[in-house]
């Protein structure tokens, strides 16, 4: 993951980062944001995404805008890698959240810290049977 621009450096306008996903790599579980639209641009490869109750695959060059309060999730598409640009607008200080995810993945932080930070970072996790089923089919 490459952190590109956080709200502090963009007068609050955007937060942006770029992530690469290896084949079979999970992205974010089902969640929504209350204050930001999340934009996805697939630079290369393919990204499987959930939007509300629909699962689809974004291919190279595809763009998706997910409005506030819309459950969504993402992962590398089955059998594919992906390189994706993410943008949140309006921006907010999200880099600390992304760093927290890294610490949890490395075993340096407790996963409950993610749930405890949901209001601060406007990241609200939800259960999605549709997304769980899509991931099971991909495995």
């Amino acid at each position: 993951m490459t952190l590109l621009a956080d709200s502090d450096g963009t007068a609050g306008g955007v937060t942006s980062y770029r992530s690469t996903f290896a084949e079979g790599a999970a992205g974010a579980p089902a969640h929504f944001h209350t204050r930001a639209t999340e934009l996805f641009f697939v630079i290369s490869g393919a990204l499987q995404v959930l939007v509300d109750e629909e699962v689809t695959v974004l291919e190279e060059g595809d763009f998706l805008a997910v409005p506030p309060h819309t459950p969504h999730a993402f992962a590398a598409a089955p059998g594919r890698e992906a390189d994706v640009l993410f943008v949140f607008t309006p921006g907010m200080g999200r880099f600390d959240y992304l760093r927290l995810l890294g610490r949890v993945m490395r075993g340096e932080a407790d996963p409950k810290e993610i749930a405890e930070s949901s209001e601060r970072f406007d990241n609200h996790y939800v259960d999605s049977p549709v997304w769980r089923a899509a991931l099971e089919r991909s495995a």
Side-chain angles (χ1 to χ4, degrees):
M1 180 182 302
T2 304
L3 306 177
L4 299 172
D6 213 358
S7 62
D8 295 344
T10 65
V14 299
T15 296
S16 181
Y17 64 96
R18 181 176 177 174
S19 284
T20 55
F21 299 86
E23 185 177 325
H31 66 285
F32 65 91
H33 312 289
T34 62
R35 299 184 298 269
T37 295
E38 186 171 0
L39 311 171
F40 299 73
F41 178 74
V42 180
I43 297 167
S44 65
L47 190 73
Q48 182 172 258
V49 296
L50 166 79
V51 178
D52 274 330
E53 295 294 315
E54 183 178 339
V55 176
T56 190
V57 174
L58 302 177
E59 299 283 346
E60 181 175 327
D62 285 347
F63 175 84
L64 171 68
V66 179
H69 302 282
T70 304
H72 58 286
F74 53 89
R80 307 282 298 276
E81 297 177 343
D83 183 7
V84 182
L85 176 68
F86 295 88
V87 178
F88 292 85
T89 184
M92 63 180 293
R94 273 188 198 278
F95 282 7
D96 285 342
Y97 173 75
L98 298 170
R99 291 179 183 115
L100 171 61
L101 292 179
R103 288 194 312 277
V104 168
M105 289 174 55
R106 292 187 302 274
E108 299 167 359
D110 190 319
K112 73 178 180 180
E113 290 182 53
I114 294 171
E116 292 169 353
S117 72
S118 66
E119 284 301 321
R120 177 178 172 209
F121 296 117
D122 189 27
N123 223 41
H124 308 275
Y125 290 96
V126 296
D127 181 45
S128 173
V130 171
W131 185 242
R132 282 196 321 270
L135 293 177
E136 288 172 10
R137 284 191 303 272
S138 301

